[in-house]
Amino acid sequence: MQPGADTVTTFWLEMRAAAALRAARRQDALELRECEIPQFEVNRFLYHFVGAAWGWTDKLGWSDAEWRAWAEDPGLRTWIAYHRGSPAGYFELRRHGGDVETAYFGLAPAFIGRGFGGDLLTRCIECAWGWGAKRVWVHTCSLDHPAALPNYRARGMTLYHRETRPR
């Protein structure tokens, strides 16, 4: 997805049934662990570590108190993927009633292009359904990695809204 010089397009996608998931091939070299003890510093680190390359800026000015409130919210769960002991990526799921949002999802720069994205997204969606979701949704934009939108679609998510705005 190459952004226009003056606009950003945001895409909202959803999955309404667990059976719609089209799983990617499991990458045995990728270990997934849930962060069962919230530590806002970990969430902040992952946000910067993964999001810097894609211009994630909405939380850059957050205070420690704001990060703590985010990470310790009982409606938020965080998973970290590891490859050979190194953080390879992460995702955060956020509950909104019966809906579960993939709030953040991504790979660390050193792990892009190794075939981990489809498997990590598969596991992310499985975790969302395992949390009792009635619907799983996500939004991404034209500033994200070019494989992001195709990966969401390949896993069975369908586009339900698109919006283009000035940068």
Side-chain angles (χ1 to χ4, degrees):
M1 290 176 279
Q2 295 302 322
D6 300 322
T7 63
V8 175
T9 301
T10 303
F11 306 90
W12 284 266
L13 300 103
E14 67 182 356
M15 187 177 290
R16 293 194 165 268
L21 176 61
R22 293 190 299 264
R25 191 176 121 259
R26 185 71 78 197
Q27 299 289 329
D28 292 333
L30 198 63
E31 177 188 355
L32 186 65
R33 303 286 305 241
E34 183 175 2
C35 299
E36 295 182 38
I37 300 169
Q39 300 176 84
F40 76 90
E41 299 91 345
V42 172
N43 294 75
R44 180 171 50 202
F45 165 77
L46 293 166
Y47 177 86
H48 290 284
F49 185 55
V50 170
W54 311 111
W56 294 0
T57 60
D58 57 322
K59 292 181 174 47
L60 287 180
W62 275 19
S63 67
D64 285 357
E66 289 169 306
W67 275 107
R68 182 175 286 110
W70 172 263
E72 294 179 2
D73 183 328
L76 183 82
R77 293 172 71 185
T78 303
W79 282 262
I80 303 175
Y82 296 91
H83 175 66
R84 296 176 55 195
S86 294
Y90 87 115
F91 59 87
E92 292 178 350
L93 296 178
R94 191 162 185 219
R95 180 181 293 286
H96 303 272
D99 293 349
V100 175
E101 172 192 11
T102 300
Y104 290 96
F105 172 88
L107 292 171
F111 296 94
I112 293 171
R114 295 186 181 204
F116 292 147
D119 180 37
L120 185 59
L121 184 56
T122 296
R123 296 187 202 195
C124 173
I125 294 168
E126 288 171 345
C127 288
W129 287 116
W131 198 12
K134 303 280 189 256
R135 177 180 81 116
V136 177
W137 68 279
V138 66
H139 74 274
T140 188
C141 76
S142 55
L143 300 174
D144 205 347
H145 188 279
L149 185 59
N151 189 20
Y152 290 122
R153 287 180 158 164
R155 303 290 70 81
M157 299 194 89
T158 58
L159 184 69
Y160 71 90
H161 184 68
R162 167 192 234 151
E163 182 178 299
T164 300
R165 61 178 166 73
R167 274 184 91 162

